[in-house]
Structure formats: structure tokens, C-alpha cells
Amino acid sequence: MAAAAIPDVELSDAGRIDPSQQTDCCIVGGGPGGMMLGLLLARRGVKVTVLEAHKDFDREFRGDTLHPSILEILDQIGLTEGVHRLSQNKIYGPTLQTSGRAFSPVDFRRLNTRFPYILLVPQAKFLEFLAAEARKYPSFRLRMLANVTGLIQGEDGVQGVRYQSTDGWHEIRARLTIGADGRFSKIRQLASFEPIKTSPPMDILWFRLPHLPGDEHSDRVRGGFGGGRLLAVFDRGDYWQIAYAIPKGQYQQVRAAGMESLQKSIVEIEPTFAEHVESLVDWHQCSLLSVESNRCPVWHKPGLLLIGDAAHVMSPVGGVGINYAVQDAVVAANVLTFPLLHREVQEHDLAEVQRQREWPTRIIQKLQSLVQSRLIASALQNESNMIVPWWLRLSFKIPILRDIPGRILAFGIKRVRLEEP
Ligand SMILES: Cc1cc2nc3c(=O)[nH]c(=O)nc-3n(C[C@H](O)[C@H](O)[C@H](O)COP(=O)(O)OP(=O)(O)OC[C@H]3O[C@@H](n4cnc5c(N)ncnc54)[C@H](O)[C@@H]3O)c2cc1C
């Protein structure tokens, strides 16, 4: 995404810049947060333009979980059938293999919802689906290959953005600009928002293993520990998606130990993968995710709001990043549609979005941090297997307590609904 900064003097050069484009809301970033907000605003008649730096939605390095909360929101706008046509791949909860015993702390089937499962939809397909729906509304525009590099700053605050496309530099003027441009947010940097960082104790290698004839399909995420490593296995239908957690900063050591050592370690944790790991032959098959978690103390300034990963990068524990980005988008649509349609957007409107979304974010980040420090860090430091304390196993058998973690995973700390005007 690195692009040369454009000096202001070039922007006033009429030969190089197209005439200013106008919109009510300019959303930077066509990820789950940005696309969902674009769709929700457009269906209410707000003029909205989404700018996405890439040429398509296809990326290797993406999550693909649609939690019950997202499915309920899609249901509210009549899109659940459509999204279920994209995939039938469902997960009902995680199962941890600890010291030879299976521990299944969460069963979504006990939750009070029409969609008691996580639907696994490749993120590219999900985003294409949202884009196709949004395009049905005349007030919606999506520009791909639009790499935003600057904010247009006016007397009253941010008034739009500058972006580079294949045909040169452009600017778009907007009453409200949304930074939904993910964990490395350019908008966050341009607006000088400084996130507070926490450093989870792990990094993750992300790779695929083939589904072999005879493999049974699994409707649970399987997790296992061993030799100071943690393995999470997701069934993607025609392949297994693997997240292999290592202590932070140890990637070079893992590489130096060699591919055979990685294969051996995987099989130690998951013996059924003895044949599968033979397909791992090159480090290019593994992406390294440097795990990070952060949140901005302030998400807004006049004319500008951050949502999703741009405002708060979630740790991978529980896989809630997409859920939280989409929930931010729903709250932003609830709060901002009226001002966008009928009056100026005031900074207190933007503050209201942060007020509703910040505390659920902080609580879940605190919980993730507890899981990381109490369970994951010790499993990664400890060569022996992880032991789930008896009292924890017991608490998941007590009816009044046992569904709380499932509800938090499914809906976040606060169940978010779309408010129809
Ligand atoms: C390997 C991996 C696995 C993950 N697995 C899961 C999972 O299983 N479940 C889960 O819930 N979450 C998962 N996550 C996290 C999840 O993907 C994010 O939390 C979520 O995508 C955040 O959505 P977003 O819309 O805020 O940002 P993003 O999805 O990051 O989207 C931001 C968009 O902005 C675009 N952009 C960036 N800069 C610019 C610019 N200057 N101009 C224009 N466009 C720009 C990017 O191209 C991108 O499309 C995973 C993340 C990773 C890296």
C-alpha cells in the first residue's frame, strides 16, 4: 500500500486532478466493516462511495467466519438465504484436545438464535456478495484500485480524501469520511490517531493442508497443544486451514529448525495429519501473522470516524475481528444515517458511535488478554501438554454459567441490531 505522498501543489494542478467528486460519506477500505457500512447507508438512501486499494477482494490472509451476530443482522435485511448459498460450512464450537482429553467448552446449538453456528464463507465471496447487494442501490459507488494517500483538510475538519488510481490522482469530497482500512490504517496515521498497543505472546503461521480421501468433515474447530506449540484446525470443506501458534518472535528459529521439524511438530499435536503434512514443502506456503492487539483512545475528529480494525485490532483469540468490524458498521449506520440525510454530522454523533462500541471492544480485549496470559502463554512456554483446571471444566457444566462464553463468542459483549428508521 506504500504510495508516494502527493504534494498539495500538484493537487491544484487542474491538468492532473479530475474535478472534485462529491458524496455524503466516503468509506476508505472495502473489508467487512467498510462494505457492510456502505451497504447499510446506501439502502437508506445516503450517497456513499467506498474506496478499495486492491483490484479485487481476493486475499490469502483473511478470516472467513460469519458469527451468529452477523447472520442475524443479514437476516434483518433479507440476505441470509443469499449468504447461505455461498457456503454450507458450519462450526458449532471449539474442541480442545488437552492431555489426551477432549474439552468442548462451547456449543452454539444451545443459544437462543435462528443461526446457532459460525458460517464459514471465504471472505472474498462474502465481500463480493455485499458489493453486489450494495450496487442495487443507486446512491452506492465502489471504486477498486483506489489507494487513499491523503486527507482533505478544511476549516471545519476532514472534508474528503485523495487517492491514486490507475488513471492518476483523484480527490473525493465528503461530508463524512470513514477510515475502515484495517490494521495498518493509513487514515489512522494521516489523522494522527495513536493506538494503545498490547503485544499478545504469540505469532501465527497460517497455512493449508489438503483434505485427503477418508478425512471426515468436522463441524468444530479443533485445538491442540504440545511441545510449546498450539494448533488450531478449521475444516474448510476441501482443505484444512491451520493456525500454528509459536511464541512471539520465534519465527526465524522455526525456519532454521527446518520444514521437517515443523511437520513433526504438527503430527505430534495432531497425529491424524501424518500424511497431510507431506504437502508442506516450502515456506512460501506459510504466511506469518504477527499477532497484535490495539485500540485507539479516540476514534473520531470533525468529519472523520474510524471503525473496525482501524480503530481496534483484535487478537485472534475467539476469531471475533470480523464480527466486531461488522458490529461497528451497524452501530455507525444506526447513529449516522439521520444526520447524513438531514443535517450536518456533528462530532458528538461520531462520539456516540465510539461510546456504543468502545466498551464492548475493551471488555473483549481484556478477556482475550486473560486467555492469552493464563492459558496460551503457559502452553507456549511449557513443553508439556496444557491442563484445563478441574474448576474450569466444572464451570462449563453448570447451566447458568456454561453458555456465557458461547454467547460472548456468538454476539460479542453486546448484541447489536440494525435500527430501522
Ligand atoms: C490471517 C488472519 C486470519 C484471521 N482470521 C479471522 C477469523 O477467522 N475470524 C475473524 O473474525 N477475524 C479474523 N481475522 C481478523 C479479520 O480479518 C479482521 O478483524 C477484519 O477483516 C477487520 O475488518 P475491517 O473491515 O476492519 O478491515 P480489513 O478486513 O482489514 O479491510 C480493510 C480494507 O481496507 C483496504 N485498504 C487498506 N488501506 C487502504 C488505502 N490506503 N486505501 C484504500 N483501501 C485501503 C484493504 O485493502 C482492505 O480491503 C483474521 C486476520 C488475519 C490476518
Side-chain angles (χ1 to χ4, degrees):
M1 221 87 353
I6 330 163
D8 275 352
V9 64
E10 288 187 0
L11 283 166
S12 58
D13 175 351
R16 295 192 56 192
I17 306 293
D18 68 338
S20 245
Q21 305 161 41
Q22 294 278 348
T23 189
D24 290 331
C25 181
C26 172
I27 300 173
V28 181
M35 288 309 301
M36 182 59 95
L37 182 56
L39 166 63
L40 295 178
L41 292 178
R43 66 186 281 284
R44 288 172 177 176
V46 176
K47 273 175 73 183
V48 54
T49 300
V50 178
L51 302 175
E52 167 54 49
H54 285 85
K55 71 176 190 324
D56 56 31
F57 295 118
D58 215 359
R59 317 255 202 297
E60 173 65 15
F61 224 50
R62 284 279 173 103
D64 50 6
T65 49
L66 299 188
H67 285 60
S69 144
I70 300 179
L71 297 172
E72 284 190 352
I73 290 158
L74 292 171
D75 195 36
Q76 278 191 281
I77 54 176
L79 296 183
T80 35
E81 269 181 35
V83 85
H84 281 82
R85 275 197 293 274
L86 303 177
S87 163
Q88 280 299 318
N89 215 350
K90 296 171 183 166
I91 287 184
Y92 293 98
T95 296
L96 302 179
Q97 200 64 36
T98 62
S99 302
R101 292 175 69 189
F103 175 51
S104 299
V106 166
D107 190 344
F108 291 127
R109 277 172 283 216
R110 286 198 299 260
L111 298 181
N112 180 17
T113 171
R114 273 188 67 201
F115 311 103
Y117 47 80
I118 289 173
L119 190 68
L120 292 175
V121 182
Q123 204 180 104
K125 274 196 190 177
F126 178 55
L127 296 176
E128 279 158 15
F129 172 75
L130 293 182
E133 288 302 321
R135 280 196 181 100
K136 292 178 183 166
Y137 299 93
S139 62
F140 179 83
R141 299 270 179 284
L142 170 62
R143 284 171 211 269
M144 304 303 283
L145 285 170
N147 184 17
V148 174
T149 56
L151 292 175
I152 302 173
Q153 199 70 47
E155 271 180 19
D156 298 331
V158 175
Q159 294 185 345
V161 298
R162 295 166 187 138
Y163 66 93
Q164 187 182 22
S165 195
T166 42
D167 57 351
W169 298 104
H170 301 262
E171 62 177 57
I172 183 160
R173 303 242 163 206
R175 296 166 55 217
L176 175 63
T177 299
I178 303 277
D181 51 341
R183 61 179 52 208
F184 305 111
S185 174
K186 181 78 181 169
I187 298 297
R188 185 178 62 210
Q189 182 206 329
L190 290 167
S192 305
F193 290 123
E194 205 47 59
I196 302 166
K197 292 187 186 170
T198 53
S199 188
M202 64 201 161
D203 287 329
I204 289 181
L205 286 184
W206 186 254
F207 51 85
R208 296 175 178 193
L209 293 177
H211 236 280
L212 295 181
D215 283 354
E216 280 184 21
H217 284 286
S218 169
D219 58 15
R220 302 195 67 83
V221 179
R222 300 202 310 262
F225 304 81
R229 304 283 185 256
L230 188 161
L231 197 74
V233 180
F234 306 79
D235 190 346
R236 296 295 196 253
D238 48 355
Y239 65 93
W240 299 99
Q241 178 64 57
I242 312 291
Y244 178 85
I246 57 177
K248 194 149 207 69
Q250 283 196 10
Y251 176 59
Q252 287 311 330
Q253 281 165 255
V254 172
R255 273 192 79 145
M259 191 54 94
E260 252 182 57
S261 163
L262 173 65
Q263 293 173 337
K264 204 167 143 235
S265 154
I266 295 167
V267 177
E268 264 168 33
I269 305 171
E270 183 66 58
T272 60
F273 281 158
E275 215 180 312
H276 305 64
V277 294
E278 287 170 18
S279 69
L280 264 188
V281 289
D282 194 301
W283 291 102
H284 288 118
Q285 292 169 263
C286 307
S287 306
L288 175 69
L289 170 61
S290 174
V291 175
E292 157 174 340
S293 161
N294 70 35
R295 72 181 167 79
C296 289
V298 181
W299 301 9
H300 56 86
K301 56 169 46 178
L304 176 72
L305 173 71
L306 301 181
I307 63 167
D309 274 16
H312 49 70
V313 175
M314 312 303 280
S315 138
V317 172
V320 295
I322 298 171
N323 202 6
Y324 266 56
V326 168
Q327 290 189 337
D328 287 359
V330 172
V331 169
N334 287 344
V335 174
L336 301 174
T337 299
F338 183 85
L340 279 166
L341 284 176
H342 302 294
R343 61 168 169 80
E344 283 307 302
V345 180
Q346 310 280 345
E347 208 184 347
H348 66 78
D349 298 314
L350 307 177
E352 175 60 16
V353 177
Q354 175 172 354
R355 192 192 66 73
Q356 290 191 33
R357 292 302 300 151
E358 185 181 10
W359 64 267
T361 305
R362 290 179 73 155
I363 294 175
I364 207 95
Q365 286 188 330
K366 195 83 200 152
L367 291 173
Q368 290 178 317
S369 171
L370 271 176
V371 172
Q372 282 160 189
S373 60
R374 295 288 160 83
L375 296 176
I376 296 179
S378 63
L380 291 178
Q381 281 155 16
N382 196 340
E383 296 291 302
S384 61
N385 212 334
M386 178 184 153
I387 295 167
V388 178
W390 65 267
W391 54 266
L392 192 58
R393 282 183 188 273
L394 182 67
S395 65
F396 280 98
K397 291 196 163 54
I398 301 172
I400 198 168
L401 297 179
R402 68 180 181 190
D403 290 336
I404 294 174
R407 275 206 297 276
I408 292 175
L409 268 184
F411 302 109
I413 295 297
K414 182 169 183 254
R415 209 161 174 152
V416 164
R417 308 275 301 159
L418 189 62
E419 292 163 13
E420 290 298 343

